[in-house]
Amino acid sequence: MNAHASTLNPAGSPRVWQRYSMGQRLLRFALYLLVVAAIVQAIRGVEIIPEFLYDAPEQMADLFQRMWPIDWAYYPEGVHGALIETLHIATLGTILSVVMAVPVGLLAANNLTPSKTVNMLARLILVSSRSVNSLVWALLFIAIFGPGALAGTLAIAFRSIGFVGKLVGEAIEEAQRGPIEAVTATGASKASVIWYAYWPQIRPAFWSIVLLRWDINVRESAVLGLVGAGGIGMALDTALNLFQWDRVALVLAAIFAVVVVAEIIITQVRKRIL
């Protein structure tokens, strides 16, 4: 974008001001070129087959026709139990993750744990938990404990440690020093300082973190059954393998309904607790 000044240069012609210098324009052009090249390379790597794109609308329409009408009668027999199991997996996994994540979050907080070595070790645990997808955790625990809800619960728990521990540690680091110094000055123990000085300050953030993670875990636990980790995902996998599209639609509708209900519950609980 150019702007013209009212002054004249020594030669008598108007002086022109430019927003970017020549070097900046070249750098911006190089960045744009790099982004375009990355997009083109990504598209080439995906190996999109044009023939499949041409009839995609027809295939989608055919799929929706197979899904309708939805087999609502199958819900009591094959969906309800799996849906309840999914909620159990999400809830127990969240509780277990909080029990394991809070100590790690305390060790990861710089203002609470002065040792750099302990801080780095705690942060390594948190990063390791977040870097592994819940489906990969599920496959790992299925190999150890076999398929079922136990593997799904542990997968949810170990996946959530990094999320809960990181946010709890950050909330502790943002705590105000005044109450902490006041309680410490009384000669209170470290546990008392945490309970009476840190906890009142981080309590709203803590419950918000737990509720948010439970909401996320409800969504994640719904697909763990695709690899055999229990829950409604197993019902979905069975229906897909048998090409029972009316039952696939029923499972998808049940998952959608649970997600919506979970969101409503989280909103109401947050209003009353926080």
Side-chain angles (χ1 to χ4, degrees):
M1 179 177 180
N2 298 335
H4 297 278
S6 59
T7 59
L8 301 178
N9 60 18
S13 58
R15 180 178 297 174
V16 179
W17 296 93
Q18 295 180 336
R19 182 176 181 181
Y20 301 107
S21 65
M22 179 60 69
Q24 291 174 328
R25 290 199 298 271
L26 291 176
L27 179 60
R28 288 167 62 85
F29 176 77
L31 290 176
Y32 292 149
L33 185 62
L34 181 62
V35 170
V36 172
I39 294 174
V40 171
Q41 185 62 30
I43 294 175
R44 293 179 59 187
V46 173
E47 297 181 356
I48 299 176
I49 302 177
E51 290 77 9
F52 289 170
L53 291 179
Y54 296 152
D55 65 343
E58 298 178 4
Q59 296 294 336
M60 291 182 61
D62 180 65
L63 183 61
F64 286 137
Q65 288 178 358
R66 297 180 187 180
M67 288 183 173
W68 189 264
I70 298 176
D71 186 9
W72 299 108
Y74 182 68
Y75 178 83
E77 173 188 352
V79 177
H80 181 75
L83 193 61
I84 298 301
E85 186 177 62
T86 296
L87 295 176
H88 290 167
I89 291 173
T91 303
L92 293 177
T94 303
I95 295 173
L96 184 59
S97 70
V98 171
V99 173
M100 294 187 293
V102 169
V104 182
L106 295 176
L107 296 177
N110 293 324
N111 57 342
L112 193 60
T113 306
S115 174
K116 295 295 183 183
T117 303
V118 176
N119 282 151
M120 294 301 296
L121 180 60
R123 293 179 186 275
L124 177 63
I125 295 174
L126 298 179
V127 171
S128 301
S129 170
R130 297 197 309 275
S131 62
V132 180
N133 189 271
S134 56
L135 289 175
V136 179
W137 280 117
L139 290 172
L140 175 63
F141 287 115
I142 286 173
I144 298 174
F145 300 105
L150 176 60
T153 301
L154 294 176
I156 288 295
F158 277 78
R159 168 66 172 171
S160 304
I161 290 175
F163 181 93
V164 176
K166 176 179 173 59
L167 295 182
V168 168
E170 291 179 351
I172 293 173
E173 290 178 344
E174 295 174 358
Q176 297 180 3
R177 293 296 306 169
I180 299 169
E181 294 174 352
V183 176
T184 304
T186 64
S189 64
K190 195 64 171 290
S192 298
V193 172
I194 294 175
W195 183 252
Y196 292 106
Y198 283 99
W199 171 245
Q201 297 188 63
I202 70 169
R203 180 170 51 195
F206 173 80
W207 288 117
S208 179
I209 293 166
V210 172
L211 292 173
L212 175 61
R213 190 62 220 183
W214 179 79
D215 187 29
I216 296 173
N217 287 341
V218 170
R219 293 167 170 81
E220 290 195 353
S221 60
V223 299
L224 291 182
L226 294 176
V227 295
I232 197 171
M234 297 186 69
L236 176 62
D237 184 57
T238 301
L240 286 171
N241 292 334
L242 297 178
F243 302 104
Q244 297 172 334
W245 298 110
D246 53 349
R247 295 184 178 181
V248 170
L250 173 64
V251 174
L252 294 178
I255 294 174
F256 177 76
V258 167
V259 170
V260 172
V261 172
E263 184 67 26
I264 295 174
I265 293 174
I266 292 296
T267 302
Q268 296 301 319
V269 173
R270 281 176 58 89
K271 289 180 179 180
R272 286 163 173 75
I273 292 182
L274 302 183

